[in-house]
């Protein structure tokens, strides 16, 4: 918020889907933890893609996790592009990652290229 972004918050995957459905404005970016109570981040993103494919096609996603990126690739799928921010991170690092992803200057990870 202090960088000028409008933020819609949710405390878990199920609440995030509900917030996404109720929010009528444009969403540019979803930031989600990989591991959450109930529905995890990758499952939540997949559910949103299935529920609203047209709306999700232009929305970028940053996954955050305390696990290594390689372990996340095994969970999320090797052929899907994603942006990843490892924990721990500072507010400055988060803001920089958000700016990179929203501006389109971030290099998404596609493990087929790795």
């Amino acid at each position: 918020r202090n960088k000028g972004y409008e933020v819609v918050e949710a405390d878990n995957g199920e609440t995030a889907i509900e917030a996404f459905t109720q929010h009528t404005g444009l969403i540019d970016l979803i930031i989600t933890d990989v591991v959450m109570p109930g529905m995890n981040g990758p499952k939540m993103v997949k559910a949103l893609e299935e529920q609203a494919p047209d709306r999700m096609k232009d929305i970028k996603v940053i996954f955050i996790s305390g696990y290594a990126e390689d372990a996340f690739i095994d969970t999320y799928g090797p052929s899907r592009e994603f942006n990843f921010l490892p924990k721990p991170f500072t507010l400055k690092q988060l803001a920089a990652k958000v700016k990179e992803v929203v501006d389109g200057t971030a290099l998404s990870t596609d493990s087929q290229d790795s």
Side-chain angles (χ1 to χ4, degrees):
R1 288 188 178 111
N2 68 1
K3 299 295 182 188
Y5 298 109
E6 178 184 349
V7 177
V8 178
E9 294 181 52
D11 59 0
N12 61 49
E14 292 84 358
T15 306
I17 290 173
E18 187 177 314
F20 179 90
T21 302
Q22 293 177 358
H23 185 74
T24 57
L26 180 66
I27 295 176
D28 297 308
L29 175 67
I30 294 172
I31 302 172
T32 181
D33 206 331
V34 172
V35 178
M36 298 186 292
M39 180 183 294
N40 68 31
K43 285 183 183 174
M44 184 260 308
V45 170
K46 184 175 181 181
L48 289 174
E49 290 170 341
E50 290 172 355
Q51 175 183 319
D54 290 340
R55 192 169 175 204
M56 282 295 292
K57 71 179 182 199
D58 295 325
I59 297 176
K60 296 177 172 119
V61 179
I62 297 174
F63 289 103
I64 57 175
S65 179
Y67 294 101
E69 188 171 344
D70 290 343
F72 174 68
I73 290 170
D74 293 340
T75 302
Y76 189 57
S79 63
R80 300 172 76 180
E81 289 187 13
F82 63 91
N83 296 285
F84 188 83
L85 182 62
K87 292 179 185 178
F89 53 84
T90 65
L91 183 56
K92 184 177 180 178
Q93 289 169 318
L94 174 61
K97 186 67 168 184
V98 167
K99 183 172 179 13
E100 287 174 12
V101 172
V102 170
D103 290 349
T105 58
L107 297 175
S108 295
T109 300
D110 182 341
S111 63
Q112 286 183 345
D113 294 338
S114 300

